[in-house]
Amino acid sequence: MFQNLSIGVFDSGVGGTTILKEILLLLPQENIIYYGDSGNAPYGEKSIEEIQNLCSKILDFFVKNRCKAVVIACNTATAAALDKLTEEYSIPIIGVITPGAKGAVKVTKNKKINVLATPFTVSSHCYIKELDKFSSSLSIFQEGCPELCPMIENGWELYPNREEVLKKHLSKLSKSADTLILGCTHYPIIENDIRKFFSGTIIDPAKETAMDLKELLKKKELLNSSRKKGSLDFFISGNIDSFRSIAEKFLGFSIKNIYSVEK
């Protein structure tokens, strides 16, 4: 019975669709509820208390809708609220920081890793703490970008100065690092532009997160054994049309079940 319940996936907006895309590929039979809190974006410039309160509200929504597990498809929310949410809710919850760190440690050759993220994620040092758990001999360089999330949410192509903004931030990171963690789930949407300014290996935590989710469901005996394709519903606290146009372009299919929720 519990196997047929939904998985809740949430982000401060459209960025979490990068995680959603990988979950749909790996677990096509699962029913999913995606919550895009674009009405309260960006999270990266809010206080820890504000982020935690927003996340608790979303968890309440998932519990009300009888979700069997939750993926925090947002680095900032993972850094600010994962520990608190796992203490307060009995539902299994995973974030994206551990998978991202794990992926970077696997591929780096020279043990020098760059992290591009929101100002909150950078100031929390969550990637430094997580990477240190895997190896104490890493050199880690971080850069916080306040502009990128809002620009991606509003439509990246609409900004003529977008490459200039990217170049400015990436130039502040280590030139010798061979690995770059995209420490915000919005950033894989603009990965092609990021590649113009970084030639090493780029880590998108999405694949690792989807695999961690599968392992969690397996361990908890919550994997959906149905052979049918699962349902997918979107709940958005901001502008639905804006979310739909960016999400459809990235996901590669039309979004049918999309609903508005209060921010």
Side-chain angles (χ1 to χ4, degrees), residues 107-126:
V107 302
T108 183
K109 300 283 195 299
N110 67 6
K111 297 193 173 184
K112 294 180 180 179
I113 297 171
N114 284 335
V115 180
L116 193 68
T118 66
F120 183 94
T121 300
V122 165
S123 65
S124 74
H125 298 293
C126 57

Side-chain angles (χ1 to χ4, degrees), residues 1-259:
M1 175 187 161
F2 290 111
Q3 289 88 340
N4 296 329
L5 299 180
S6 298
I7 297 163
V9 179
F10 80 90
D11 177 50
S12 62
V14 76
T17 57
T18 60
I19 306 290
L20 175 65
K21 191 174 188 177
E22 294 300 330
I23 294 171
L24 292 171
L25 285 171
L26 190 65
L27 300 164
Q29 76 282 9
E30 295 290 347
N31 301 311
I32 297 171
I33 295 174
Y34 183 95
Y35 193 112
D37 196 17
S38 48
N40 290 300
Y43 278 14
E45 293 169 46
K46 295 189 186 312
S47 71
I48 188 166
E49 290 81 11
E50 286 175 310
I51 298 165
Q52 288 175 347
N53 289 336
L54 290 168
C55 292
S56 292
K57 181 185 170 187
I58 296 167
L59 259 290
D60 289 342
F61 177 87
F62 286 146
V63 169
K64 186 181 172 184
N65 284 277
R66 300 187 70 238
C67 288
K68 63 183 180 181
V70 170
V71 178
I72 307 177
C74 173
N75 285 267
T76 300
T78 301
L82 177 61
D83 290 345
K84 187 172 188 288
L85 295 175
T86 51
E87 281 174 19
E88 294 180 358
Y89 294 85
S90 58
I91 184 171
I93 306 167
I94 63 166
V96 289
I97 290 166
T98 301
K102 199 193 306 179
V105 172
K106 275 183 190 173
V107 302
T108 183
K109 300 283 195 299
N110 67 6
K111 297 193 173 184
K112 294 180 180 179
I113 297 171
N114 284 335
V115 180
L116 193 68
T118 66
F120 183 94
T121 300
V122 165
S123 65
S124 74
H125 298 293
C126 57
Y127 269 103
I128 293 174
K129 291 171 193 168
E130 200 60 37
L131 287 162
D132 278 346
K133 290 178 187 175
F134 293 103
S135 172
S136 58
S137 59
L138 298 170
S139 296
I140 303 155
F141 312 88
Q142 301 188 103
E143 172 64 8
C145 313
E147 310 98 324
L148 296 186
C149 268
M151 288 169 76
I152 294 165
E153 281 287 326
N154 295 325
W156 181 247
E157 294 79 12
L158 301 176
Y159 294 88
N161 67 329
R162 60 190 181 276
E163 290 192 6
E164 186 185 316
V165 171
L166 259 185
K167 187 178 180 181
K168 178 187 79 174
H169 286 297
L170 286 163
S171 68
K172 293 178 184 176
L173 288 165
S174 170
K175 305 287 187 294
S176 60
D178 67 353
T179 304
L180 170 66
I181 297 174
L182 300 183
C184 171
T185 54
H186 283 69
Y187 298 173
I189 293 172
I190 61 166
E191 187 175 332
N192 289 339
D193 281 341
I194 291 171
R195 286 189 183 280
K196 293 173 186 176
F197 307 103
F198 184 78
S199 57
T201 303
I202 292 179
I203 298 297
D204 169 5
K207 283 189 178 71
E208 293 275 359
T209 304
M211 287 189 284
D212 279 8
L213 173 63
K214 186 177 181 178
E215 283 306 308
L216 174 71
L217 295 175
K218 206 173 175 180
K219 186 180 171 185
K220 301 278 186 184
E221 298 184 347
L222 290 172
L223 273 173
N224 193 326
S225 57
S226 172
R227 293 184 182 180
K228 292 180 182 177
K229 189 176 178 182
S231 62
L232 177 58
D233 296 294
F234 291 85
F235 293 85
I236 311 302
S237 67
N239 186 299
I240 281 184
D241 293 332
S242 175
F243 177 92
R244 191 202 299 266
S245 83
I246 298 165
E248 286 185 344
K249 195 181 294 182
F250 181 75
L251 291 169
F253 59 79
S254 296
I255 292 173
K256 293 173 185 174
N257 302 329
I258 186 164
Y259 311 95

